Amino acid sequence: MIYGYIRVSTREQNEDRQLIALREIAVPEANLFMDKQSGKDFQRPQYKKLVRKLKKDDLLYIKSIDRLGRNYEEIQNQWRVLTKEKGVDIVVLDMPLLDTRRGKDLMGTFLSDIVLQVLSFVAENERTNIRQRQAEGIAAAKARGVRFGRPPRPLPENYHSAYQRWKSGAITCTAAAKECDMPLSTFRYRAEIYEKAKLL
């Protein structure tokens, strides 16, 4: 039996490129399995379903090694489970060297093991780089004053008078927050912003 596995990282990403490639080599529609999930681990429903179906001498096609996963160690483990324990052949379309049907001799196995190690390392390295780029992007955006999360709710109309009475000591902070129908922590946080805005 011939199977195909497709993975995209998010629901917004498009799987067409992988689908077209697998249809071109005539993988039956019923044997296409797709997850819209991160490749950080193998806890993916369609992947698990596929592994349960695979039998000895079945053939699995994937577009590229990072579609299988992005965790170096787990890619190695899954490859071993599929090829050695289950006796399945795997073909990685973007990397012809990763085709377990050919080179079943010692040299072929050795070469495909080396290529797999290099590519799975590259896949994990890319995941690490993506995380680093995201963190750097967020830090740069924060430095430019970009705010993340929901925008703050507008201040209630009576905020100014409650704030003034609290500042003058006429009422407690708790009473002022209650008047404005705000949690105490929110009232204090907004008071800090309010004071900074007045200084500008």
Side-chain angles (χ1 to χ4, degrees):
M1 291 288 279
I2 297 173
Y3 293 90
Y5 179 67
I6 295 164
R7 183 186 66 77
V8 288
S9 299
T10 65
R11 297 202 175 276
E12 291 74 43
Q13 281 186 333
N14 197 315
E15 65 278 1
D16 288 353
R17 194 175 61 87
Q18 294 174 70
L19 263 174
I20 290 164
L22 294 174
R23 281 174 180 154
E24 279 175 359
I25 49 167
V27 175
E29 290 290 321
N31 291 354
L32 286 172
F33 291 79
M34 179 172 61
D35 282 306
K36 292 199 172 190
Q37 207 171 330
S38 161
K40 69 180 184 343
D41 60 41
F42 283 86
Q43 299 308 310
R44 303 177 223 135
Q46 288 300 304
Y47 180 78
K48 287 166 128 180
K49 193 173 172 184
L50 166 67
V51 172
R52 283 195 300 272
K53 277 192 168 254
L54 288 167
K55 306 263 185 309
K56 187 172 173 19
D57 297 325
D58 283 346
L59 176 58
L60 173 63
Y61 283 99
I62 53 173
K63 178 85 171 96
S64 57
I65 197 71
D66 65 345
R67 298 305 86 204
L68 194 58
R70 286 189 180 275
N71 179 308
Y72 176 72
E73 211 170 298
E74 289 201 13
I75 293 171
Q76 303 275 340
N77 288 340
Q78 286 302 308
W79 190 274
R80 185 185 48 75
V81 166
L82 295 172
T83 58
K84 307 280 193 295
E85 292 176 21
K86 289 188 87 78
V88 172
D89 275 314
I90 305 176
V91 176
V92 179
L93 297 174
D94 286 355
M95 181 52 62
L97 279 171
L98 282 178
D99 180 344
T100 60
R101 294 171 304 177
R102 51 172 126 118
K104 295 270 187 186
D105 61 350
L106 190 60
M107 181 55 82
T109 306
F110 174 69
L111 278 175
S112 91
D113 280 354
I114 288 175
V115 172
L116 174 67
Q117 286 194 25
V118 169
L119 290 179
S120 51
F121 169 77
V122 167
E124 175 157 350
N125 200 44
E126 178 56 16
R127 190 165 75 96
T128 305
N129 289 340
I130 287 168
R131 279 203 309 264
Q132 188 176 337
R133 287 196 295 269
Q134 282 174 335
E136 287 169 357
I138 290 167
K142 282 183 175 174
R144 289 194 313 271
V146 175
R147 289 181 61 93
F148 291 88
R150 288 182 306 191
R153 286 168 54 189
L155 288 172
E157 285 180 21
N158 65 337
Y159 184 83
H160 180 73
S161 67
Y163 169 83
Q164 293 296 347
R165 287 172 30 247
W166 165 58
K167 274 310 216 183
S168 67
I171 57 171
T172 65
C173 190
T174 307
K178 202 168 193 172
E179 263 185 45
C180 295
D181 197 25
M182 295 170 112
L184 181 60
S185 58
T186 305
F187 183 86
R188 286 178 193 257
Y189 172 70
R190 297 300 290 269
E192 278 178 41
I193 296 169
Y194 190 69
E195 282 160 18
K196 281 179 192 162
K198 277 168 53 182
L199 292 172
L200 294 173

